[in-house]
Each structure stands twice: as C-alpha cells, then as structure tokens.
Amino acid sequence: MATGWIRRLRLATGDGAGLTQRALATVDDAKRAHDRGDRAAAQRIGEAAVAELRSLVASGVRGAEPGLVRALLTQAEYLREMSRHAEAVAAAEEAVTVARADPARTGSLVLALSSLANQLLVAGRVREGLAAAREALADDIVQPDAVLAWVLVTLANALAQAGEPEEALAQSERAVGMWRVLAAGADRKSLFQFGQALNNHANRLYAAGRWADAIEFSAESVALFRRLAENLPDKLGTALTNYAIVLSRMGREEEALAAAAEAASLDGLSPAGRAAALRAYGGRLAILGRMTEAVAATTDAVGWYRQMLEQDRDAFRAVFAEAVSDLGGQIEDPAEALPHLLEAVALRRELLRVNRAVALPGLAQSLAVLAWRLDELDRFDEAIDATAEALVLIREAAAANRAGTVVKFSFILRDHVARLENAGRLDEARALVAETVEVSREAAEGREPAGSRGLDLALELQARLE
C-alpha cells in the first residue's frame, strides 16, 4: 500500500474509499483464515487490517471509521479465543472510542459497547462489563431488533455474573424470544446467535433452580449446534457440557455421561474448550463412581487450566479454582487431595474480594469439600470450622439468590449439623436442625430424585437429635 506523500495525494484526490475497501477485504481474509481454524493467521491478518484502517482514520478518512470499529471488534474476538484477554479488552475499548466519534452511527456504538461488555466479562472485570452492557441499552439509543437481542444476551450474562439473577433471567427471556423470531428461516449467523441465546438462557434457568426448564432449552441448543457443528466445536462442546450438568442435577446420570463424553471427544476444541469438556466429563464419571477415570480426566483439565492461568490469571482464576476443587474431591487419598483443596479455597478467597456476590457459593462449596477431607484425616475441629464458615457464606448468597443457592445451602446445613452431632456438640446441632429440614424440603421441591434424598437425610438428623 502507498505511504508518505503518495498516500496523502491519493487521500486528497478521493482514493480514501478505495483504500478503505482494500483494508476491509483484508478483514474478510482474516475471517476466512479463522473459518479454516487458523486462529493465529486470523489474528495476524486482522492486525494488519486494523493498522491500515487506523492509519486511514488518522489521515482524516471519516468513511473508514465504521470499518475500523468492525475490524477492532473482530480482532478482539480473535484475541479472546487465544486467551489474550487484556489485548481483547483494549481492542474493544478502542472500538468504543472510535464509535463515539460519530453520534449519527448509534448502531456501531451499541455493537462496540456490547462487545466490550463481553470482553470485560471474560476477563473477570464484571462490574465494568455490566456498566458497558447497560450503556448499550440506554433509552436514547435506537437499535435494530437483531442488535437489541444480542445486547440483551450480553446484559443477562453480565447481570448473572454480578449477582443479580432475577433481572438476568428476565433479560435472557426477552433475548430468547427475539432470537426465536429472528432465526426462523434465517442465515447461519442468526442461527448461531439463537443457539448462544438458548444455551445462555438454560444457564440462567439453572441458576434460578428451574432445572426441568433448563433441560428443555439446553437440549434445543445442543440440537441447533449439531446442525452448525462444522468449525464450531467449542460451541457444541459448551452446549453439551451444560446439558450434561443439568441432566445430572435431575438424576439422569447415564444421559449426562454420554453428553459429557461426546463433548470431551470433539475434534478441534480450543484449550479452554478442551479443559471445560474434560472437567465436565470427570465430574460425571465421579458421580457414577468411576473414580480412576474421573481423576484422570479432571487432572488433564487442571493441567490445561493451569497453563491458561499462567497466561492470564484474572480470566482463568475462577474456572481453574472450580477444576482444582473438583480434583480435590475426587482423589482417593485425603492427604494427597488436601493441597488441591487449599489451593482452590485460596483462589476463591481472592475472587471473593473481586466479585463477592458471584464468588460466595463457590467458596462455600470448596470449604465444604475441604471439611470432608479434613474429617478423613481426623482433623475434626478444623472440619467444623470449615463448614461453619461455609454456612455463613452460603447464607449470604442465599439472601441474594435463594432459588439458585438453596441446594448448596441445604447440603452445607446438613453436613454441618451432622458434623456437630458427631463431635458431641448436640445443643448447637439441635439449634440448626429445624432449619435444616425446612431448607432441605425447599431444595427438594421440583428437584426429584436428588432433592428427596437430601430431605430424607435431614429428617433422619431431626429424628436422632429431637
């Protein structure tokens, strides 16, 4: 491409539009490389297009601004897929800055803000992500329906991660309804967005404790991504692992294992996709008592996550903590398991300082598992202390999101009361047993068969203590 005085002459004589089109053709070349599965080439070609469009904008070619926004947002996605989250956020932030320069192009600004919100969420900057998503839906901005539907999905995810589950579910419901209409007989891109909306809505329903409804939407997402499976293994893998988790929660363990096994066997998964699929598969194997296989799968998942954690601690700390906590629960030898659980607890304490509402249930869960392994090592007082702290944390979480945390709440209550009983601290156990039955009964409603087993255990505790 021309540089220096030749370039300025071309721009002055109206060749800016032609140069812009050439740069946008380079953006398309990057997309073709991405579609072939060559992420590194896509990122490299896309960066060249961004540099050229930046130069055009700096030279005064206003018509290049929408192209630069598009190129930056596409580049942000490539960088995210490569786990380069700080750079992805920076690219999206630059796109927002460029889009703000022309108030007439509100559509570009909405898209840029929504993309920025997504990049911030993936990077673990939840409150900033929520702020960007809310700005994208400001009352004075008019969007096409497809753009509005996409932004609603982003907003629902941000709200969920920020610990606002009821509004998250409401916005997700709006988004799914819109995408169902938009995707009817539509192109591949709209079908892809619909599949994403279905999968996200299943997650919102799961978090709200509506598991049967979550299964319905999750199964629909899996079916849709099967149709779009070529070049989208991560999306199908995510849909399958989410489906497996919801099936397991409803006691349909063999179906859950089959879905998780399919996800773990997919070709072409990214490191993050591979780690997530292996973790889900290990969890399903553990529930079925196939512990040797479970530990092998989860160990592989932890290895993948540890590599990513070293690249970007903020983005992968939460998922790594989940995986290492799982491993600590699956390893047979409690002494060998303990370091993994202590690492998970330490990481989740860090997350508590970053995003308290979202981190509370995870830390409570890790402490509960830690208590169980401490019991096995005859460290009973430490085990009681761990479940006592877990109970404080899960009460706080339940106050903000009762439906989404009531199952964990009931489990931790039962565990703590039983531990107090075994330690001979009967007055303390009796003081909690009525609440344990009440919460276990609440957790059992609509959650057969797993919920009924928990209620039976709570009633047995009550019978012994009263």
Side-chain angles (χ1 to χ4, degrees), residues 88-374:
V89 168
E93 286 176 333
E94 183 181 352
V96 168
T97 299
V98 175
R100 287 194 200 282
D102 188 350
R105 294 193 180 108
T106 55
S108 291
L109 179 57
V110 170
L111 287 170
L113 284 165
S114 187
S115 176
L116 174 60
N118 269 316
Q119 302 302 342
L120 288 164
L121 292 175
V122 174
R125 295 163 61 179
V126 175
R127 285 294 167 187
E128 295 168 84
L130 179 56
R134 287 197 187 282
E135 185 182 353
L137 285 169
D139 291 340
D140 61 345
I141 296 177
V142 178
Q143 311 96 338
D145 282 349
V147 175
L148 175 59
W150 186 51
V151 178
L152 283 169
V153 172
T154 302
L155 177 59
N157 289 341
L159 287 161
Q161 292 190 45
E164 300 181 36
E166 291 182 7
E167 190 182 350
L169 183 58
Q171 298 294 357
S172 179
E173 207 163 327
R174 288 178 63 198
V176 166
M178 284 187 186
W179 279 117
R180 195 175 293 282
V181 173
L182 291 165
D187 58 16
R188 181 183 175 90
K189 182 177 179 181
S190 294
L191 289 170
F192 165 77
Q193 297 286 8
F194 181 37
Q196 287 283 90
L198 287 167
N199 193 44
N200 290 344
H201 192 52
N203 290 341
R204 302 288 74 77
L205 288 162
Y206 178 85
R210 291 170 54 184
W211 298 337
D213 292 335
I215 283 179
E216 177 185 338
F217 283 90
S218 188
E220 189 177 0
S221 177
V222 168
L224 183 55
F225 278 122
R226 282 195 201 286
R227 290 167 52 191
L228 304 171
E230 186 179 357
N231 295 325
L232 292 173
D234 276 3
K235 299 304 179 185
L236 177 57
T238 298
L240 282 163
T241 54
N242 287 349
Y243 188 43
I245 290 166
V246 183
L247 285 166
S248 180
R249 182 64 80 179
M250 292 293 288
R252 294 163 60 177
E253 300 298 352
E254 292 295 341
E255 294 171 82
L257 181 64
E262 182 182 353
S265 68
L266 291 173
D267 292 328
L269 291 172
S270 68
R274 178 70 62 200
L278 285 165
R279 179 187 166 228
Y281 184 45
R284 305 290 70 77
L285 288 163
I287 285 173
L288 290 170
R290 294 164 58 176
M291 300 309 295
T292 301
E293 296 166 87
V295 169
T298 307
T299 298
D300 284 348
V302 167
W304 282 103
Y305 278 132
R306 197 177 291 282
Q307 291 178 33
M308 290 182 284
L309 187 74
E310 292 171 358
Q311 297 170 13
D312 192 331
R313 186 175 183 81
D314 288 341
F316 293 104
R317 182 168 41 186
V319 287
F320 177 75
E322 291 171 357
V324 80
S325 184
D326 287 353
L327 185 59
Q330 292 168 6
I331 291 173
E332 182 178 4
D333 182 353
E336 183 184 344
L338 205 60
H340 297 289
L341 289 165
L342 291 171
E343 183 177 17
V345 167
L347 286 167
R348 283 177 153 164
R349 290 197 196 283
E350 289 181 24
L351 291 164
L352 202 67
R353 294 190 289 272
V354 174
N355 192 353
R356 187 173 184 85
V358 172
L360 282 167
L363 178 54
Q365 178 72 21
S366 288
L367 285 165
V369 179
L370 175 63
W372 161 51
R373 306 321 298 256
L374 287 167

Side-chain angles (χ1 to χ4, degrees), residues 29-46 75 78-79 81-82 231 268:
D29 290 341
K31 183 179 184 303
R32 282 189 283 273
H34 181 267
D35 290 345
R36 293 194 303 269
D38 191 346
R39 292 189 179 91
Q43 185 276 325
R44 186 177 64 254
I45 296 167
Q75 192 70 359
Y78 299 156
L79 290 163
E81 290 179 357
M82 298 172 73
N231 295 325

Side-chain angles (χ1 to χ4, degrees), residues 1-12 19 55 59:
M1 292 187 180
T3 58
W5 69 269
I6 296 176
R7 177 187 184 83
R8 288 193 295 274
L9 178 62
R10 286 186 175 181
L11 294 175
L19 292 172
S55 179
S59 299

